[in-house]
Amino acid sequence: MLVGPLCEITARDLRLAFWQSQPVVDDEVKYRHRVTALSYLDFCEALGRLADFASVPTLHDMAALSATNIIDFDLRLPKASVALKKELRARRPSSRGYTAPTEPKEGLGGTDAPEGGGNIMAGDWEAMAEAEEAEYQRQVQEAYDAEDAAWEAEQREAEEAAAAANMDLTAMAA
C-alpha cells in the first residue's frame, strides 16, 4: 500500500487505474506494446483516475484536527485518537472505483448508520446503479419529448403558414 499526504492508494487502485485507462486494442498479440504500456495521454488519464480514487480531506476534516492546510492535516493525523483517524481516513463513496467496499463505514450505512439508512454494500450498489439508470432514462425520455414537442410546434407553424398563403392566393384569384 502506498501512503501519501492525501490518501492511501492500494496496488488494486493502481491496477484499476492502469487497466481502465487502456485503449481498446483489436489484436493484443500484434499490438502487445499497446496492451502492456500506456501512452502519454493514457498515463494522464490513469493519474486522473488515481486522483479520483484519493480522498482529499474536507474543510470539516481539517477543522476536526485544527489543521490549516493538507500538509498540517497529514502531520496531525497520527496524533489523533484511533476513532478519529478511522473516520478521517475513510474513503468517500465515489473514491472506491467500480467495486463495492469490503467493510461498512460509519455514516454510510454501516453498523452505526441511523435507522433506515441504506447499507452501501454490494446489494445497494446494484440498487444505486439501477436508480441512476432509471434517472438517466427519464432524462433521455424528457429530451425526446421536448424534441418531439418542438418538431410538432414547427409542423403546426408550417401548416398555418401554408394555410395563410393558400388563403392569400384564393383572395387574389377572387
Side-chain angles (χ1 to χ4, degrees):
M1 179 180 329
L2 301 173
V3 179
L6 300 179
C7 66
E8 295 177 1
I9 297 176
T10 63
R12 178 183 166 279
D13 293 336
L14 292 170
R15 283 193 301 274
L16 274 174
F18 177 85
W19 290 112
Q20 291 169 356
S21 301
Q22 284 287 321
V24 176
V25 178
D26 58 350
D27 188 354
E28 289 98 4
V29 175
K30 185 176 181 182
Y31 301 109
R32 184 76 179 147
H33 64 283
R34 293 185 189 168
V35 175
T36 58
L38 295 174
S39 68
Y40 177 73
L41 185 62
D42 298 331
F43 175 74
C44 290
E45 180 180 346
L47 284 179
R49 289 179 185 275
L50 285 174
D52 188 47
F53 288 160
S55 284
V56 179
T58 63
L59 292 176
H60 179 270
D61 295 343
M62 290 179 33
L65 292 178
S66 302
T68 57
N69 56 42
I70 294 176
I71 294 172
D72 191 27
F73 175 86
D74 196 48
L75 293 173
R76 291 175 188 242
L77 188 60
K79 299 172 189 164
S81 69
V82 175
L84 185 59
K85 269 192 235 183
K86 185 177 179 181
E87 178 186 336
L88 295 177
R89 279 293 188 196
R91 286 183 162 185
R92 66 186 192 283
S94 64
S95 70
R96 290 195 171 111
Y98 294 106
T99 58
T102 56
E103 62 183 61
K105 301 290 184 191
E106 182 180 339
L108 295 177
T111 55
D112 299 327
E115 189 72 29
N119 185 5
I120 303 187
M121 296 304 287
D124 281 350
W125 285 100
E126 292 171 4
M128 288 170 50
E130 288 174 7
E132 287 177 3
E133 177 65 21
E135 175 64 18
Y136 171 75
Q137 292 297 333
R138 185 190 63 75
Q139 291 175 354
V140 167
Q141 188 61 45
E142 282 181 3
Y144 283 142
D145 292 345
E147 190 174 299
D148 288 346
W151 183 82
E152 289 171 1
E154 200 174 283
Q155 291 299 315
R156 274 193 303 273
E157 288 176 10
E159 289 172 1
E160 290 171 1
N166 193 16
M167 287 175 53
D168 288 343
L169 289 175
T170 55
M172 293 169 91

